[in-house]
Amino acid sequence: MTTAVQPTFQQILADDKLYFETFIEIEDRNRNPIQFKLNPAQEIVNGRMGNRNVIIKASQLGSTTFFLARYLKRTLTIPGTTSIVMAHERFLTQRLLTRAQYMYDHIPSKVKPKMHHKSAHEKSFPSINSVMYIGTAGADVFGRGEPIHNFL
């Protein structure tokens, strides 16, 4: 009989797929909560990610979910991270940040920093100096004067 070796917390933090499958919950197409497991398209993207990536995304393959989860993980686990979500209209962008909030809400509290500012536009984590916020394409002033580490 073999026993499965449980990954350590450090191993989970070092592996996006393992982090998603351990901590990230999403809703399926029928609005049922499920653990986030990479689908085949997401597996391909995850296996080919570099430091800078330009992805031409197809609809309904889970690209947005993948990147929201990836950037939320980085925002929560790498101090000083700025993650930005941008879309062509504010309402859609706010909905994307709401999906990130859903993911955050279902991560066990013992493994995530406390959120200080929680609005439809911004999620901030001052204990680690990280933030995730939205922008709208065509805005006159956006993202100027600060480093942007993750951009969707």
Side-chain angles (χ1 to χ4, degrees), residues 2-20:
T2 60
T3 58
V5 176
Q6 294 295 321
T8 67
F9 185 64
Q10 291 301 78
Q11 289 170 321
I12 293 169
L13 288 179
D15 184 323
D16 284 347
K17 179 180 176 181
L18 193 53
Y19 184 91
F20 300 158

Side-chain angles (χ1 to χ4, degrees), residues 28-141:
D28 67 12
R29 294 181 190 278
N30 297 316
R31 299 179 304 278
N32 299 310
I34 60 170
Q35 201 64 38
F36 184 27
K37 305 260 188 240
L38 297 182
N39 67 33
Q42 293 164 334
E43 287 273 7
I44 291 169
V45 171
N46 188 52
R48 296 181 180 171
M49 295 298 292
N51 288 332
R52 295 187 183 266
N53 305 279
V54 176
I55 308 288
I56 300 172
K57 95 179 201 49
S59 294
Q60 303 300 309
L61 292 180
S63 298
T64 301
T65 300
F66 171 81
F67 285 105
L68 279 175
R70 181 179 171 96
Y71 295 164
L72 177 64
K73 174 193 173 247
R74 288 179 174 189
T75 303
L76 298 178
T77 62
I78 303 171
T81 298
T82 299
S83 298
I84 297 176
V85 178
M86 179 181 270
H88 62 285
E89 61 181 36
R90 182 169 290 285
F91 176 72
L92 176 58
T93 313
Q94 287 173 335
R95 290 190 58 197
L96 294 176
L97 200 60
T98 298
R99 287 173 54 192
Q101 180 70 48
Y102 178 90
M103 293 175 189
Y104 173 84
D105 288 343
H106 291 87
I107 297 172
S109 59
K110 64 182 178 183
V111 298
K112 66 182 177 185
K114 185 177 178 186
M115 187 181 300
H116 172 70
H117 185 72
K118 173 183 171 182
S119 73
H121 307 284
E122 178 183 332
K123 315 296 178 192
S124 67
F125 309 91
S127 67
I128 59 168
N129 193 32
S130 290
V131 64
M132 180 178 249
Y133 67 92
I134 64 170
T136 304
D140 291 335
V141 178

